[in-house]
Amino acid sequence: METGGAAMSRQDDEKLRLSLRASSARRYGSIRESQNEEETTSPETAVISPARSYIAIAVLCYVNLLNYMDRYTIAGVLLNIQEYFGIKDSTSGLLQTVFNCSFMLLAPVFGYFGDRYNRKLIMVGGLCGWIVTTMGSSFVTKSYFWVLILMRALVGIGEASYTTIAPTIIGDLFSGNQRTIMISFFYIFIPVGSGLGYVIGSTVASATGDWRWALRLNPILGLVGLTLLMFLTPNPPRGASDTQGGTQMGNTSYLEDVKYLLKNRSFVWSSLGVTAMAFVTGALAFWTPVFLSRAQVTQGIKPPCSKEPCDTSDSYIFGGVTVVTGILGVVIGTLIARRLRDRVANADPLICAAGMLCSAPCFFLAIVLAYKSIPATYVFIAIGETLLSLNWPIFADILLYVVIPTRRATAEALQIMVCHLLGDAGSPYLLGAISDALSKYNPDTYAWNFRSLEYSVLLCPFVGVLGGLFFLMTALYIEEDRKAAQLLATGNNGPAANSSAGGNTVTRTEPPATGPLPRGPANDAL
């Protein structure tokens, strides 16, 4: 912790900017002076009831489920898409690549808007775009594959608007252990939705005899989510659950927001940990069904696929395992975090580190045992996915309490961009490229076809260990950064206010003694 004059001089500009903005920013209804009571009943400052908050969580979770179902529905019907358009593996891979690229590049844009404008309207607009583009992609004809590519890119834009902003809404509706529980409910639908995407996509395509109906189901369900989002989800004031009697800061420039986040060591190290986790989950989600299929061909359990349609039973099993282990891991991670958080200040990053470090040997054993025993492989995959799923609610909660409310959407967006750029956007292609390079040494043999993919997938456990180390680094700074963010959000001033915690400083600016306080930037609520 820095306490010298040099630390103070580096923080003067930041302190002055935040002080000036705090003095002119809107204060929430709970901290208005009594003479300003007539303003507390406005939509911007009205207290949101617990019942309405719980309904909002249910709506956000439902839309998040559809979000992740859609991402993996394409994977569930990929063989049918390849046959319909007559495309190769490399070309079909563009469907996921363009989605991740648009999702990654647009996340910072929505993060910027999410910290400054009406978050509910942004989510509603993004969901409308997602429904239209997803439904439209199911009507693309054989000679217009490029239109399907374009539609998937637009789907990524719609999902970026929701995924970036929804967690910040939860952060402003709840605090403390309640926030952890609600974040857990929200993030439990990542593995659940992913697994259901495989299962439902394949099931709908088989039941209807048309893969395009698999793409139409999610938009139909999305119309229900859109209606619920419009009428049942509030737009709480930024930091409403954190201030509790303190001032709310106004917005700073985007450059200042980015500088603040880069100086926030807990945010930087935890984002690197999330990136490593995204690398592992993205690669395994894409390659595990193919890897298991090749392992069974090598063992003589089933014949190789020589023509379409191929046996997709591994996708069903893997999807089911992902759903069960995802729920189990998120629940266990939440319970452990709640028990340890009051006794161990840096429990959250330590749990994330333990989850990644312990899952790595499980995935290693699952990979090397696939040549001998498929049941043993599934057992270690299940254990590894459960351990990895411990992290889903915890790393999201870390971001919410180490970053001040007016910069959370920007933080979510930058974290999404980095974890996709260096994580799951490239890991499936990287492993495929390694496998292709190795397969050249002994082509046209089923055994080496399996081995080349096996050696490439072995990269995942080592990246998992690296992610665990990143979370251990987060544990060194998280207590300091959490206190700094809390003080900055509430406007309290004390000895800790002069400490350096990722470049954060705290200044309290008292409101005028009489008369209404000046209005800050617009943060209208519907």
Side-chain angles (χ1 to χ4, degrees):
M1 179 180 294
E2 298 181 30
T3 58
M8 290 294 295
S9 63
R10 287 197 302 270
Q11 299 168 4
D12 287 342
D13 291 340
E14 174 82 359
K15 180 182 293 186
L16 178 60
R17 286 193 296 270
L18 295 174
S19 298
L20 292 174
R21 286 171 173 83
S23 64
S24 62
R26 180 190 303 112
R27 295 168 67 91
Y28 301 127
S30 60
I31 58 175
R32 291 270 190 184
E33 297 294 336
S34 59
Q35 60 266 36
N36 298 323
E37 288 179 355
E38 67 275 8
E39 295 183 339
T40 63
T41 57
S42 69
E44 299 161 350
T45 57
V47 176
I48 298 174
S49 67
R52 192 180 179 196
S53 297
Y54 292 134
I55 292 173
I57 286 294
V59 174
L60 294 175
C61 288
Y62 173 73
V63 178
N64 200 40
L65 173 69
L66 298 181
N67 225 342
Y68 281 88
M69 280 176 57
D70 176 71
R71 294 190 190 191
Y72 292 95
T73 297
I74 286 286
V77 297
L78 186 58
L79 292 177
N80 295 309
I81 292 176
Q82 288 178 321
E83 183 180 1
Y84 180 78
F85 289 102
I87 56 176
K88 299 179 180 179
D89 291 344
S90 57
T91 306
S92 61
L94 289 175
L95 292 170
Q96 192 70 4
T97 299
V98 296
F99 169 85
N100 281 328
C101 287
S102 64
F103 184 86
M104 170 186 68
L105 295 175
L106 270 295
V109 176
F110 288 111
Y112 175 86
F113 290 131
D115 280 335
R116 290 160 176 81
Y117 302 104
N118 190 299
R119 293 175 289 182
K120 179 176 176 179
L121 286 180
I122 296 172
M123 289 193 299
V124 168
L127 188 56
C128 288
W130 172 77
I131 291 172
V132 171
T133 52
T134 304
M135 180 64 75
S137 64
S138 68
F139 293 98
V140 177
T141 57
K142 289 184 178 181
S143 56
Y144 290 96
F145 177 72
W146 65 270
V147 176
L148 181 61
I149 292 289
L150 177 62
M151 289 292 185
R152 289 304 296 175
L154 295 176
V155 168
I157 296 174
E159 291 195 15
S161 66
Y162 179 82
T163 306
T164 302
I165 295 173
T168 69
I169 298 285
I170 300 174
D172 290 333
L173 290 173
F174 301 93
S175 62
N177 282 333
Q178 258 196 323
R179 176 189 290 169
T180 302
I181 295 172
M182 297 307 153
I183 284 289
S184 301
F185 279 124
F186 183 78
Y187 277 92
I188 202 172
F189 290 102
I190 293 179
V192 172
S194 301
L196 289 178
Y198 287 109
V199 175
I200 294 179
S202 300
T203 302
V204 172
S206 299
T208 61
D210 188 348
W211 62 271
R212 287 170 292 193
W213 275 106
L215 300 184
R216 293 167 187 165
L217 176 63
N218 290 331
I220 293 172
L221 298 176
L223 289 174
V224 178
L226 178 63
T227 304
L228 296 175
L229 192 65
M230 291 176 62
F231 294 103
L232 298 180
T233 304
N235 181 35
R238 292 170 179 84
S241 65
D242 297 277
T243 52
Q244 298 177 353
T247 59
Q248 181 198 11
M249 295 172 295
N251 297 112
T252 51
S253 70
Y254 187 74
L255 182 59
E256 288 174 321
D257 293 351
V258 173
K259 288 180 178 178
Y260 161 82
L261 293 171
L262 292 178
K263 292 178 181 178
N264 189 319
R265 293 163 294 186
S266 296
F267 170 77
V268 171
W269 285 113
S270 63
S271 295
L272 292 175
V274 174
T275 300
M277 181 177 172
F279 184 101
V280 174
T281 55
L284 293 179
F286 191 85
W287 287 113
T288 295
V290 176
F291 173 72
L292 292 173
S293 178
R294 292 184 183 180
Q296 293 176 69
V297 170
T298 304
Q299 295 180 37
I301 298 176
K302 67 179 184 180
C305 179
S306 57
K307 63 178 182 178
E308 305 294 345
C310 299
D311 183 4
T312 59
S313 58
D314 294 300
S315 295
Y316 282 99
I317 298 174
F318 181 67
V321 170
T322 301
V323 171
V324 174
T325 58
I327 296 173
L328 187 62
V330 170
V331 171
I332 293 175
T334 303
L335 293 176
I336 295 175
R338 290 187 64 191
R339 289 183 178 274
L340 293 183
R341 188 172 290 168
D342 293 336
R343 289 178 285 178
V344 183
N346 57 355
D348 287 349
L350 291 178
I351 295 171
C352 291
M356 295 208 70
L357 292 174
C358 294
S359 67
C362 293
F363 288 132
F364 181 85
L365 290 173
I367 295 167
V368 298
L369 290 176
Y371 184 74
K372 296 289 186 181
S373 173
I374 297 299
T377 296
Y378 269 118
V379 169
F380 282 107
I381 285 177
I383 297 174
E385 285 196 328
T386 301
L387 292 169
L388 208 59
S389 295
L390 298 177
N391 299 7
W392 284 117
I394 299 175
F395 73 71
D397 204 14
I398 288 175
L399 183 146
L400 291 176
Y401 64 65
V402 301
V403 176
I404 60 175
T406 54
R407 287 165 171 166
R408 283 175 181 165
T410 299
E412 290 277 358
L414 291 179
Q415 190 174 89
I416 287 172
M417 184 184 71
V418 172
C419 78
H420 282 291
L421 178 65
L422 303 177
D424 57 355
S427 60
Y429 174 79
L430 176 62
L431 266 59
I434 294 174
S435 177
D436 287 343
L438 293 175
S439 64
K440 295 178 181 178
Y441 290 100
N442 193 5
D444 302 327
T445 61
Y446 294 120
W448 186 248
N449 192 33
F450 162 74
R451 288 297 186 186
S452 62
L453 183 57
E454 177 189 34
Y455 295 147
S456 65
V457 176
L458 280 173
L459 180 62
C460 291
F462 294 99
V463 175
V465 171
L466 187 62
L469 297 179
F470 288 147
F471 279 117
L472 288 178
M473 291 298 298
T474 306
L476 298 177
Y477 305 107
I478 193 164
E479 183 178 7
E480 183 181 349
D481 290 343
R482 174 171 49 193
K483 289 179 179 178
Q486 182 180 6
L487 289 170
L488 201 57
T490 59
N492 293 321
N493 200 9
N498 296 325
S499 66
S500 171
N504 305 334
T505 57
V506 181
T507 301
R508 181 174 181 85
T509 303
E510 295 297 335
T514 59
L517 293 169
R519 289 283 183 178
N523 179 26
D524 302 324
L526 291 181

